[in-house]
Amino acid sequence: MLEIDIARKTYPDRGGRSHVALQGLRLAAWPGEFLCLVGPSGCGKSTLLNLIIGLDRDMDGRVTLDGRVPDKGIGVMFQEPRLMPWLTVLDNVLLVADDPQQARPRAIELLRAMELGDVLHTYPGRLSGGMQRRVALARAFVIEPPLLLMDEPFVSLDAPTADRLRSMLVDLWQRRRSTIVFVTHDLREALALADRVCFLSAAPGRVVLEMPVELPRPRAPNDVAVLELQARLLAQHPDLLAGLVTTEPPNDA
Ligand code: ADP
Ligand code: MG
């Protein structure tokens, strides 16, 4: 189980004063749970993920995974696919494996599941944005992480590509049962993916509302049930959800 208790996370400000990014943030995720964190831009979502991964340890608080400070074995996927242009698709996925030789069959199987079996030995520069994110998704799962952190991984993709990636993600998660913490500022995306959604306040970020999502799967952001749930939430918590993306972004990918 992932347990987070952050009393305070501050960044030094330019004027010598400090910016409080997170305050009084408590959160837990059960093994195998798909948890979405929703909050307005600047509320500290990426800050929180960096603290969970241990990229940043400078905080007044604690993050534990199964009672211990997480060290390695956490899968991550960011907004940019962050692929190495000089490595092939397959080698990009193997890069994160402790034992690339042993991970190779699993990497190939994952890439085939992502419908990338024909481009195993291609360089990322030749792939579309959607394909690059599928490589990043395969890379996130190749280490079979007990915990997978995702920071707005599907933004700025066109809607059909993003939908396809979401359903691939849910497929992988249902087979591997990693705990997923998925950050988004798109409420409908969260409702389409999550077992539970936690809403963060504007800065300094803390959890202000938690809600289980009991809609049957498979779901998509455009499902009537998702739209209805979104409308109900917006009606009940208009202030809380102000500033969130609740409509489809323009198709600019
Ligand atoms: P979100 O991901 O929710 O958009 P971030 O976690 O990126 O928000 O940022 C939260 C706040 O902390 C913002 O005001 C941002 O400017 C500030 N911040 C983030 N990273 C740093 C940093 N390395 N140094 C100083 N301030 C930062
Ligand atoms: Mg962010």
Side-chain angles (χ1 to χ4, degrees):
M1 182 167 148
L2 173 69
E3 293 176 281
I4 298 162
D5 186 353
I6 298 171
R8 234 167 121 84
K9 162 67 193 171
T10 56
Y11 288 115
D13 232 25
R14 254 183 283 156
R17 291 171 34 243
S18 60
H19 171 76
V20 183
L22 303 170
Q23 187 158 11
L25 189 148
R26 302 191 64 180
L27 184 67
W30 301 103
E33 185 176 30
F34 200 132
L35 181 67
C36 279
L37 300 182
V38 175
S41 184
C43 77
K45 303 182 294 296
S46 297
T47 298
L48 175 60
L49 292 193
N50 285 336
L51 292 170
I52 299 174
I53 312 172
L55 270 178
D56 182 359
R57 298 189 189 278
D58 175 22
M59 66 172 146
D60 176 7
R62 237 166 104 74
V63 174
T64 57
L65 182 63
D66 300 327
R68 302 208 315 256
V69 176
D71 44 10
K72 54 184 203 158
I74 302 180
V76 287
M77 181 169 169
F78 300 98
Q79 196 165 316
E80 327 78 49
R82 301 195 186 184
L83 304 176
M84 305 298 159
W86 59 88
L87 295 177
T88 63
V89 163
L90 179 57
D91 286 339
N92 263 285
V93 171
L94 290 174
L95 190 61
V96 299
D98 278 339
D99 182 344
Q101 211 47 45
Q102 194 204 333
R104 197 179 162 88
R106 192 164 60 241
I108 293 173
E109 181 204 322
L110 275 164
L111 286 164
R112 288 198 179 128
M114 299 285 109
E115 293 164 30
L116 294 169
D118 293 340
V119 294
L120 296 179
H121 306 295
T122 302
Y123 292 91
R126 307 185 66 98
L127 306 181
S128 70
M131 290 168 94
Q132 292 188 17
R133 301 227 202 174
R134 268 142 61 197
V135 177
L137 195 53
R139 185 181 53 187
F141 274 93
V142 77
I143 58 169
E144 304 195 306
L147 177 63
L148 175 55
L149 303 178
M150 309 186 79
D151 195 355
E152 311 206 34
F154 306 141
V155 295
S156 77
L157 289 172
D158 61 274
T161 303
D163 277 347
R164 186 146 165 257
L165 277 156
R166 282 187 205 102
S167 73
M168 286 175 158
L169 167 62
V170 169
D171 268 7
L172 284 173
W173 165 69
Q174 286 180 325
R175 273 188 276 145
R176 316 263 164 160
R177 285 289 160 181
S178 301
T179 305
I180 297 186
V181 178
F182 185 108
V183 160
T184 178
H185 61 269
D186 182 341
L187 178 53
R188 275 199 290 151
E189 175 173 57
L191 297 177
L193 288 171
D195 290 326
R196 185 162 54 105
V197 181
C198 288
F199 295 89
L200 302 185
S201 65
R206 65 192 170 86
V207 177
V208 283
L209 178 71
E210 264 188 58
M211 196 193 66
V213 183
E214 274 147 10
L215 304 176
R217 298 178 189 276
R219 315 172 193 149
N222 274 330
D223 289 353
V224 174
V226 168
L227 295 172
E228 281 174 359
L229 183 53
Q230 171 180 260
R232 217 157 51 234
L233 269 170
L234 291 172
Q236 280 169 0
H237 306 282
D239 298 343
L240 182 60
L241 304 179
L244 293 180
V245 175
T246 53
T247 51
E248 207 58 52
N251 184 341
D252 59 357

